[in-house]
Amino acid sequence: MEYNFTSVQRQSVVGILVLVLKIVVKFFRAIGFLLLIWLFREYEFILEYPIYSLLAVFGIIALCLFSGFMLYRNFVFYIDEEEQAFVLRQGVFRKKQSIVHFKNIEQVNLSQGVIAQALDFYQLEIETSASAKAEITILALDEPKALALKNTLLAYSGKATIPTAQHIATEASDTIKISNARLLLASLFTNYANGLLLAFAFLFTFWSQLDDLFLVGDYEDDIFDYATNQTYDKYLIALLVFLLIPFVINLVRYGVRYFRYQIGMKREGELHLEYGLTNLQNRIIKTGKVQQIDIQENFILKKIGIVFLWLKQISVLDGKKNQGMIHMPGLTKPEAEVILTQWQEQATKIKETAAVYRPHRRKILMRMIQRSLLLLPIGAVLLYNQADLPMVVWGIYALVSLLMYSVPALAYRNERLYITDGFILHQYGIWEITQSIMPMYKVQRVTYGQKAWHKKHGLSSLVIANAAGSIDLHVYDITVIKALRDHLLYQVSAQPKDWLS
Amino acid sequence: MFKNNALDLDDVSITSLDSLDMQRILPAYKWVILFNYAILLLTSNALIFGFYQLEDEIAFQTQLIVYAIVNAVIILLLGITLIGFKYRKYALRDHDIVYESGWLIHNQVVVPYNRLQYVNINQGLLMRKLGLGTIVLHTAGNDREALKISGLDYEIALKIKTIVADKMAITFTNIDDHTDTLNTTENDGI
């Protein structure tokens, strides 16, 4: 990647985290001791007003985050070619500007502490002849930017020549590295539901293991009594803590499994993957075997500019099972496009030329009827046992119903079908929006379907299967579906192409 | 160079599946369906009966209701299957094989020959008595069968197997060199 340091630059986003950490450390150094003494004396206050205490903790966290962000925003640097100098401006209220002339630069150092190593960033220091200490310290830069800045500065100061910088740029372009900082962000903002399920599973196993943990008999009643005698604040806190668990689970899961993710593309048609903390994976993926790629993003990830890729490989070949699904978490959009182009040259351009279709509005109605089939009987059972039920149950029932009924409309809003000469792209989802891309020549089987109650509305469905997955189109206009079906079969048979290529 | 233009879905030069004459499967297969449902009825009732023998605190009335519901559901399913029987049809085209079925929920599965990995024929005891066979087609990647046609005359099933195996072999090499062979093979509905 090319960097233009003559324009104003900032640290890498992970710098916010480093700054926040610094602030927290500063904060505890300043008043930590006093706080500890106060806590020791007045811990009853916390037990008495848990909500306020929790709010105070959240308030302090928010304040630290905010000041970290402000410091980050106000930390800029650039190269002033007229002055032949490197300029650094920092400070929120008290602004400070440091200027280092190129001719004074003695050394540019990159270093990594423990945190920097874990989150994959570098600290850059500029030493001058003027003082023994580093004149300028930039806390957090990602690797390519740090290298580029170092080389640019060295080149300007006459200590090295420009070509070195270019050399590094070309070498970096055939390897994609997912920095740990990005992995962290990605893991925080995705698959919350999965994490929640895992948390529930954990809670459930814990509950069922209680028998083995305590050998006394009556604990269940004790726990129940204890639980029912608590105030609402404590329920709320327990709920909040529980809702935070998925974040931690995802963080650990992603951090351990996909640590130091690297994708090498030195050879045509191959992706060399390397990742993992405890269990280092080293895999070579033949792009021809990838039958379908799913791109996943959500509202927050979109804002940060991060996407997830799922490469679906053929799962059974010659009777041998291989690990079919490959996950690439936390790619930037351009990086994802590089991978897509490695797979299918045209895969990134589908949306530009495609014809776009949407499902029929009746899909919302149909999904709502489906949900009613589940919700109404439950409602009937609740009504039957009304006398014994607390109001909370009805509240939960109403909330769940509302959520379940709003899902079809949201799903309808996001669903699109893009068709070009060679590709199908299906976009769907509620919060996590997935785009499934399938080249037509990889289609293995086509299932056209129509339900009796869709006949008079001219609606039907199509399931397009490849060797690793499928694209399911439901409640679309019958003319579109039939034409697509016939076209797919025509393509697969009339212009046969090896589907493993 | 691979083209990637917007797709014209009204291209009339592509033959549609709608204009296809399809073959029904043999009515004798109804006996197999009836036989399977009879077994299902027997086993499910036996299971419920066995369960009640072990748990003796359940009221007789509740027992009756459970029996009634289970049997009603099975008989309803049987009814739907029998009504849907006449919708079970198949056809072989030049380049793919089609099977459709279902009355309330109608499905039509199409698998191109050049995607098939292997073909086999199944025949149960009752089916052998009736001279019927089931042809099962497998594609790559999926554990389960891609397409399955039950209730074919056994001889016809064998014929289909030969034709499909032939076409698989052809399409794996090069389709253009064998167009003539393809057209001369008898394949119109068999």
Side-chain angles (χ1 to χ4, degrees):
Chain A
M1 199 188 275
E2 288 278 338
Y3 293 101
N4 180 15
F5 291 109
T6 50
S7 65
V8 171
Q9 300 281 324
R10 288 204 169 81
Q11 303 178 80
S12 99
V13 185
V14 73
I16 301 177
L17 212 72
V18 180
L19 288 165
V20 169
L21 273 178
K22 282 210 150 194
I23 290 166
V24 170
V25 169
K26 232 184 198 170
F27 178 79
F28 275 102
R29 260 201 203 143
I31 66 157
F33 190 60
L34 288 174
L35 199 70
L36 219 69
I37 289 173
W38 184 79
L39 276 181
F40 194 67
R41 278 190 182 165
E42 309 279 352
Y43 68 96
E44 274 169 346
F45 174 83
I46 296 170
L47 292 179
E48 216 175 320
Y49 301 108
I51 286 280
Y52 291 116
S53 314
L54 207 68
L55 276 179
V57 171
F58 274 116
I60 291 169
I61 292 173
L63 200 69
C64 288
L65 280 175
F66 179 71
S67 11
F69 180 69
M70 287 309 287
L71 281 175
Y72 165 77
R73 284 297 300 177
N74 287 293
F75 189 101
V76 296
F77 53 89
Y78 58 91
I79 284 170
D80 190 338
E81 283 199 293
E82 266 184 42
E83 284 285 328
Q84 283 288 301
F86 179 77
V87 184
L88 173 71
R89 268 191 263 147
Q90 56 183 321
V92 183
F93 297 113
R94 194 166 41 123
K95 303 270 184 197
K96 186 181 159 193
Q97 178 164 316
S98 323
I99 300 171
V100 178
H101 287 278
F102 292 140
K103 60 178 192 295
N104 293 333
I105 293 179
E106 273 305 320
Q107 236 176 354
V108 182
N109 293 328
L110 296 182
S111 61
Q112 267 187 317
V114 182
I115 301 170
Q117 234 167 46
L119 295 178
D120 243 352
F121 64 82
Y122 286 83
Q123 179 173 322
L124 185 137
E125 288 177 342
I126 302 175
E127 286 180 18
T128 61
S129 43
S131 69
K133 245 180 76 187
E135 195 79 53
I136 278 173
T137 308
I138 298 172
L139 276 176
L141 288 173
D142 54 349
E143 197 186 16
K145 198 170 175 180
L147 278 175
L149 181 57
K150 181 186 174 178
N151 284 301
T152 315
L153 286 173
L154 287 178
Y156 272 118
S157 63
K159 298 265 185 319
T161 43
I162 293 270
T164 333
Q166 278 170 349
H167 175 66
I168 279 167
T170 50
E171 200 175 70
S173 70
D174 56 14
T175 321
I176 292 175
K177 283 183 184 162
I178 300 175
S179 71
N180 289 323
R182 242 192 292 142
L183 190 63
L184 185 109
L185 283 174
S187 65
L188 278 183
F189 295 116
T190 191
N191 279 323
Y192 182 81
N194 268 354
L196 203 64
L197 275 181
L198 270 175
F200 269 120
F202 175 74
L203 205 70
F204 186 74
T205 28
F206 179 71
W207 185 255
S208 58
Q209 295 291 311
L210 271 180
D211 269 318
D212 304 333
L213 290 175
F214 311 101
L215 294 165
V216 231
D218 294 335
Y219 62 87
E220 277 190 21
D221 289 338
D222 290 347
I223 292 174
F224 192 73
D225 281 348
Y226 180 75
T228 43
N229 287 330
Q230 299 306 308
T231 51
Y232 271 103
D233 321 354
K234 288 194 179 166
Y235 279 128
L236 205 66
I237 291 167
L239 188 71
L240 274 177
V241 170
F242 187 72
L243 289 180
L244 284 177
I245 292 175
F247 285 117
V248 182
I249 290 180
N250 277 335
L251 205 70
V252 174
R253 228 160 40 118
Y254 274 81
V256 170
R257 191 188 287 170
Y258 300 116
F259 189 71
R260 282 181 188 267
Y261 206 122
Q262 280 192 29
I263 307 158
M265 289 167 292
K266 290 201 172 67
R267 283 170 72 176
E268 183 88 1
E270 282 181 4
L271 299 173
H272 295 248
L273 306 185
E274 210 185 283
Y275 56 85
L277 181 65
T278 52
N279 185 11
L280 188 75
Q281 301 274 326
N282 210 319
R283 304 173 65 178
I284 297 176
I285 309 298
K286 299 239 187 256
T287 49
K289 282 192 183 172
V290 176
Q291 306 292 310
Q292 178 182 335
I293 291 189
D294 287 1
I295 310 167
Q296 202 187 53
E297 62 184 2
N298 61 39
F299 182 74
I300 297 176
L301 290 181
K302 212 173 186 171
K303 285 270 180 275
I304 313 176
I306 285 180
V307 296
F308 283 61
L309 285 195
W310 298 90
L311 277 62
K312 291 186 177 170
Q313 281 195 108
I314 169 168
S315 49
V316 182
L317 189 62
D318 313 324
K320 269 184 266 165
K321 270 207 176 212
N322 56 6
Q323 293 163 295
M325 195 87 96
I326 295 142
H327 189 27
M328 296 182 177
L331 293 176
T332 62
K333 259 214 160 106
E335 284 170 355
E337 278 176 7
V338 169
I339 303 278
L340 281 172
T341 322
Q342 286 278 320
W343 177 53
Q344 297 285 325
E345 231 180 287
Q346 301 291 321
T348 53
K349 299 177 185 112
I350 298 171
K351 281 191 169 178
E352 293 164 17
T353 53
V356 191
Y357 302 95
R358 301 184 71 171
H360 194 270
R361 277 206 194 84
R362 283 185 73 83
K363 187 166 185 175
I364 307 176
L365 185 71
M366 295 324 292
R367 292 287 179 271
M368 282 186 167
I369 292 172
Q370 268 179 13
R371 282 168 163 74
S372 301
L373 289 180
L374 180 73
L375 284 171
L376 290 181
I378 293 177
V381 170
L382 288 183
L383 206 63
Y384 188 72
N385 297 314
Q386 201 180 14
D388 316 328
L389 287 179
M391 273 313 282
V392 186
V393 177
W394 281 109
I396 293 172
Y397 179 70
L399 199 71
V400 169
S401 306
L402 191 72
L403 275 175
M404 282 183 70
Y405 279 124
S406 58
V407 162
L410 288 172
Y412 174 79
R413 215 184 61 138
N414 291 331
E415 186 169 347
R416 299 277 188 290
L417 167 65
Y418 295 87
I419 307 172
T420 69
D421 246 8
F423 290 95
I424 312 157
L425 189 155
H426 186 217
Q427 177 185 304
Y428 61 92
I430 304 145
W431 168 251
E432 310 270 0
I433 312 279
T434 307
Q435 296 175 46
S436 296
I437 301 175
M438 192 198 289
M440 286 183 180
Y441 74 90
K442 290 188 187 277
V443 169
Q444 298 268 342
R445 180 188 53 192
V446 180
T447 308
Y448 164 85
Q450 189 175 46
K451 297 186 168 78
W453 49 91
H454 280 157
K455 216 168 202 162
K456 71 169 182 219
H457 300 284
L459 300 171
S460 59
S461 68
L462 196 67
V463 176
I464 307 157
N466 56 39
S470 68
I471 285 182
D472 299 16
L473 309 169
H474 292 292
V475 201
Y476 277 80
D477 186 72
I478 197 164
T479 49
V480 174
I481 289 292
K482 277 189 171 171
L484 180 59
R485 172 196 67 185
D486 293 337
H487 181 83
L488 283 172
L489 293 169
Y490 165 77
Q491 269 238 335
V492 168
S493 300
Q495 301 160 1
K497 193 175 160 187
D498 185 7
W499 55 271
L500 275 173
S501 69
Chain B
M1 180 62 193
F2 198 56
K3 281 191 305 186
N4 194 14
N5 304 320
L7 180 60
D8 181 15
L9 286 179
D10 298 322
D11 188 354
V12 280
S13 65
I14 299 172
T15 35
S16 174
L17 266 175
D18 293 337
S19 49
L20 192 63
D21 277 338
M22 302 197 64
Q23 300 289 308
R24 291 221 185 132
I25 65 167
L26 291 184
Y29 188 67
K30 275 184 185 167
W31 289 111
V32 179
I33 294 176
L34 282 173
F35 180 73
N36 287 340
Y37 269 93
I39 288 177
L40 183 64
L41 270 176
L42 277 175
T43 45
S44 48
N45 280 305
L47 274 176
I48 300 170
F49 182 75
F51 181 74
Y52 286 144
Q53 293 308 305
L54 295 174
E55 303 271 326
D56 40 26
E57 280 173 24
I58 297 162
F60 185 63
Q61 217 174 357
T62 335
Q63 293 189 21
L64 277 187
I65 291 174
V66 172
Y67 275 118
I69 290 176
V70 169
N71 286 312
V73 167
I74 293 175
I75 288 169
L76 188 74
L77 286 176
L78 173 63
I80 292 173
T81 314
L82 287 180
I83 295 173
F85 190 82
K86 64 172 183 225
Y87 295 96
R88 297 186 179 205
K89 294 173 185 170
Y90 67 92
L92 274 76
R93 300 202 297 172
D94 281 345
H95 299 287
D96 43 41
I97 179 163
V98 190
Y99 175 64
E100 54 181 57
S101 63
W103 164 54
L104 279 175
I105 297 172
H106 187 71
N107 276 319
Q108 179 191 55
V109 190
V110 195
V111 181
Y113 300 126
N114 59 10
R115 291 296 183 260
L116 288 171
Q117 295 284 313
Y118 61 97
V119 190
N120 57 328
I121 295 176
N122 294 340
Q123 199 181 29
L125 204 66
L126 180 62
M127 284 172 87
R128 197 175 302 163
K129 274 263 185 291
L130 296 166
L132 299 175
T134 297
I135 192 159
V136 188
L137 308 173
H138 298 264
T139 57
N142 293 310
D143 286 324
R144 55 193 190 85
E145 62 263 2
L147 196 155
K148 186 170 141 184
I149 309 174
S150 303
L152 293 168
D153 184 283
Y154 188 67
E155 293 304 312
I156 289 182
L158 280 177
K159 239 180 184 174
I160 293 178
K161 188 187 167 185
T162 327
I163 292 170
V164 168
D166 245 21
K167 296 207 171 207
M168 274 164 62
I170 291 166
T171 45
F172 270 133
T173 52
N174 187 344
I175 200 152
D176 292 325
D177 301 341
H178 298 271
T179 346
D180 294 335
T181 346
L182 274 176
N183 291 338
T184 48
T185 326
E186 54 157 318
N187 55 36
D188 293 330
I190 309 190

